[in-house]
Amino acid sequence: MNEIDFKNKLKGLLFIPAAMQIAKEINVEVYIVGGFVRDMVLGRKKNEIDFLVIGNGLEFASKYSIALGISKIDIFKNFGTAHFRYNDFNLEIVGARKESYSRNSRKPDVTVGSFEEDIERRDFTINTLAVSLNEETFGCLIDTYSGLQDIHDRIIRTPIDPMLTFDDDPLRIMRAYRFASQLDFKIHESINDAANILRERLKIVSRERVIDEFLKILSSPAPSVGIKLLFYSGVLEVIFPEIANLSGVDQRQDYHHKDVFLHTCQVVDNIAGISNNVWLRFAALVHDIAKPQTKKFIEGTGWTFHGHEELGARMMKNIFRKLKLPLTKLEYVEKLIRLHLRPIALAKEEVTDSAIRRLIVSAGEDLEDLITLCRADITSKNMEKVSKYLDNYERVMKKVWEVEEKDKLRVFQSPVRGEEIMKLCNLKPSKKVGEIKSAIEDAILDGKIGNNYEEAYQYLISIKDSFLD
Ligand code: CTP
């Protein structure tokens, strides 16, 4: 294992000398602990730094912030923690504590502890590494639980019995799988066992924290690593049962359908390979979510999932509410689910411009994302099939570009606006105005008239009487 020169690395950080100075002045020991040390070893950049103070952490924090010329500092007396920003860095200061948690909440009962007591109640061995900022031992690594070896072996383990670690704070179950997914580390078997036993305790954790970890899993290089770990430990069933339910294959006569859960994992990884947009990844995760409810065996045809795209889209509102997902993303995800089968239906040679126009208008500015999802949805192992399907999408996109070139449809709305319809037809704001506007839009989409004001106006004059009778 390569020796890491922490002394040199820390010297490059402008705020370190002041921390050492204040520690000496008020006679406390100070260490940098947790994620920052872990990420230094891994060569990852991190701008959040945790200082562990053996002694009065709050006194250290306030003197330290003054020494750095910082006036804005957040102090959480009950937790014995403080936080302030210094340039691009977030500095978190905590006094050493032994934590005991009450069974029904994540709020710890904090009492002052020693260095050892603090370190043993941390989540994973890779997060227990500490580097000294004390004069005599500056830059020395304290590695009580072989965290360095675990980073080297790429494994997530808890410093003490995981049953205790997770019982203290059930969110750590999510964190274990999140770190495994982000770093592509293995999980020690004892963690899976404890997670399985204690998974219901995740219910005492706020939905926001759980989903925050889940979205970090989705943002990782290959999200399927974390999603499968969640599934096989039984945790997914508790936090997102609709995705866990996608698992399983039915066989009747010679027909079986592929395991939708494994297919979904593959689609999410495919998207992750080309896009960092976490909501596109989320849409991939849920695109087949209604397959279990719509699954039907039809004699002679086999398995069908008729209407799963519409039902899936309609399930989203509840899922977003339940999981406390940002409602601003709801429409985007609904749209991608609802439309995910549409492009393939348009790959046929004889498809009309009108059908292509409708796709352009329905998908709007998300058309590229939709096609990305459709391409990622091809998970066949048969290369011939894959290339045929990809060609199909290529063809659809070509048609889209041709029609777009002609019509400039992407931000489509009727060139004749509601006000003008009301004036010309002598109408008050009403359903009828909407109907007339839709008729004009349909005529454009069907190619009866061009997408311009003059033709739309003439068309309005020609149809208005039929609406007013
Ligand atoms: N920690 C813990 N249990 C938690 C959260 C945090 O024991 N539920 C400890 C770990 O030692 C962790 C440190 O507190 O390293 C800082 O926590 P945090 O900033 O949340 O995580 P990091 O490990 O720094 O990693 P990341 O920023 O990726 O979340």
Side-chain angles (χ1 to χ4, degrees):
M1 212 180 319
N2 287 338
E3 274 293 320
I4 291 162
D5 186 354
F6 289 105
K7 204 185 247 181
N8 239 333
K9 285 194 181 258
L10 292 181
K11 272 191 185 149
L13 299 170
L14 288 177
F15 49 84
I16 292 295
M20 295 176 68
Q21 179 62 35
I22 301 295
K24 194 173 163 193
E25 225 171 271
I26 65 169
N27 196 25
V28 292
E29 286 174 33
V30 178
Y31 300 85
I32 291 190
V33 284
F36 189 76
V37 183
R38 177 199 70 221
D39 283 356
M40 269 201 287
V41 177
L42 283 165
R44 296 169 92 225
K45 273 213 166 344
K46 186 165 169 69
N47 57 2
E48 236 179 73
I49 305 183
D50 292 294
F51 294 84
L52 175 63
V53 180
I54 317 303
N56 192 334
L58 298 184
E59 183 192 356
F60 171 82
S62 90
K63 295 208 157 126
Y64 183 26
S65 61
I66 292 167
L68 289 174
I70 302 291
S71 53
K72 193 182 173 313
I73 170 168
D74 304 316
I75 294 185
F76 306 96
K77 262 208 174 122
N78 292 347
F79 289 89
T81 61
H83 160 263
F84 62 86
R85 279 191 72 83
Y86 178 75
N87 295 340
D88 288 341
F89 291 93
N90 273 318
L91 308 188
E92 306 268 346
I93 293 117
V94 55
R97 53 198 177 175
K98 47 178 176 210
E99 279 174 1
S100 57
Y101 291 71
S102 70
R103 276 204 62 79
N104 297 318
S105 93
R106 282 187 69 234
K107 299 219 170 56
D109 224 348
V110 182
T111 49
V112 175
S114 63
F115 176 87
E116 291 74 18
E117 283 166 333
D118 186 285
I119 292 292
E120 78 162 10
R121 299 318 283 257
R122 287 180 178 258
D123 52 4
F124 307 112
T125 58
I126 61 168
N127 291 340
T128 59
L129 298 173
V131 175
S132 167
L133 296 188
N134 308 302
E135 202 172 26
E136 319 249 284
T137 51
F138 174 59
C140 287
L141 177 75
I142 299 117
D143 182 8
T144 323
Y145 295 98
S146 307
L148 206 51
Q149 185 64 45
D150 287 346
I151 292 181
H152 185 253
D153 295 342
R154 308 180 75 77
I155 186 156
I156 308 289
R157 272 191 318 126
T158 49
I160 52 174
D161 182 351
M163 287 295 285
L164 203 57
T165 303
F166 291 162
D167 202 41
D168 274 354
D169 179 1
L171 182 67
R172 290 169 171 171
I173 296 173
M174 293 299 296
R175 282 172 61 90
Y177 297 134
R178 185 259 288 188
F179 283 121
S181 205
Q182 272 181 336
L183 304 174
D184 195 19
F185 276 26
K186 296 181 294 290
I187 287 277
H188 193 273
E189 240 350 272
S190 62
I191 285 191
N192 288 325
D193 295 341
N196 180 267
I197 296 169
L198 295 174
R199 61 197 165 144
E200 290 288 335
R201 299 245 313 131
L202 270 168
K203 291 184 176 156
I204 66 161
V205 180
S206 79
R207 287 299 87 190
E208 287 86 347
R209 311 271 320 230
V210 172
I211 208 64
D212 184 47
E213 294 295 335
F214 188 76
L215 292 178
K216 283 183 183 167
I217 291 177
L218 267 188
S219 304
S220 60
S224 69
V225 172
I227 298 169
K228 284 182 186 169
L229 285 167
L230 286 171
F231 175 72
Y232 292 116
S233 61
V235 174
L236 195 61
E237 208 179 298
V238 174
I239 62 156
F240 206 157
E242 295 83 356
I243 300 298
N245 286 345
L246 298 178
S247 167
V249 179
D250 287 274
Q251 177 84 34
R252 270 217 220 154
Q253 299 151 22
D254 284 339
Y255 298 101
H256 80 284
H257 60 80
K258 58 186 166 192
D259 183 300
V260 182
F261 173 72
L262 295 177
H263 163 73
T264 295
C265 285
Q266 179 68 54
V267 180
V268 175
D269 279 357
N270 289 350
I271 293 278
I274 43 176
S275 167
N276 286 330
N277 176 354
V278 72
W279 295 104
L280 181 53
R281 294 175 182 204
F282 187 86
L285 180 77
V286 293
H287 78 286
D288 278 343
I289 201 161
K291 273 199 166 175
Q293 292 90 317
T294 53
K295 185 175 71 186
K296 229 190 201 144
F297 184 78
I298 296 186
E299 248 4 283
T301 304
W303 295 100
T304 63
F305 303 92
H306 186 69
H308 75 274
E309 67 286 12
E310 183 54 37
L311 181 60
R314 275 195 269 122
M315 284 166 70
M316 277 309 112
K317 199 182 267 172
N318 260 342
I319 285 180
F320 265 63
R321 287 218 177 105
K322 200 173 67 173
L323 299 182
K324 297 264 170 28
L325 289 163
L327 291 173
T328 47
K329 303 294 172 191
L330 174 63
E331 207 184 314
Y332 170 81
V333 173
E334 282 173 339
K335 186 198 277 185
L336 292 190
I337 305 177
R338 182 168 283 123
L339 296 179
H340 82 271
L341 298 179
R342 189 88 84 77
I344 200 59
L346 300 182
K348 295 183 227 105
E349 286 296 347
E350 70 278 13
V351 68
T352 59
D353 278 8
S354 152
I356 293 284
R357 279 191 196 105
R358 283 176 194 282
L359 173 70
I360 297 173
V361 170
S362 309
E365 60 188 14
D366 302 315
L367 185 59
E368 273 83 13
D369 285 358
L370 176 66
I371 298 292
T372 303
L373 173 61
C374 292
R375 295 168 69 95
D377 201 9
I378 306 169
T379 58
S380 166
K381 297 263 180 301
N382 178 339
M383 289 323 283
E384 226 170 90
K385 270 193 189 170
V386 171
S387 119
K388 193 180 103 194
Y389 293 154
L390 287 175
D391 280 354
N392 283 344
Y393 288 127
E394 209 57 52
R395 219 172 32 244
V396 173
M397 277 320 273
K398 207 165 145 260
K399 286 181 190 163
V400 165
W401 290 321
E402 283 165 12
V403 172
E404 269 202 322
E405 198 50 38
K406 277 194 269 172
D407 300 6
K408 304 271 177 287
L409 275 172
R410 203 64 78 97
V411 278
F412 175 71
Q413 56 183 5
S414 162
V416 177
R417 315 300 308 137
E419 296 243 324
E420 200 160 355
I421 297 172
M422 289 192 275
K423 211 163 116 199
L424 192 81
C425 303
N426 199 15
L427 284 171
K428 292 210 157 44
S430 59
K431 211 168 124 200
K432 192 137 264 173
V433 181
E435 283 168 8
I436 297 176
K437 207 156 92 182
S438 294
I440 299 172
E441 287 170 355
D442 280 342
I444 295 170
L445 294 174
D446 290 336
K448 285 191 203 152
I449 56 170
N451 184 18
N452 59 63
Y453 178 80
E454 289 73 31
E455 286 182 65
Y457 186 80
Q458 286 311 321
Y459 186 72
L460 167 61
I461 291 182
S462 73
I463 60 166
K464 77 176 175 45
D465 290 342
S466 64
F467 277 90
L468 297 176
D469 282 345

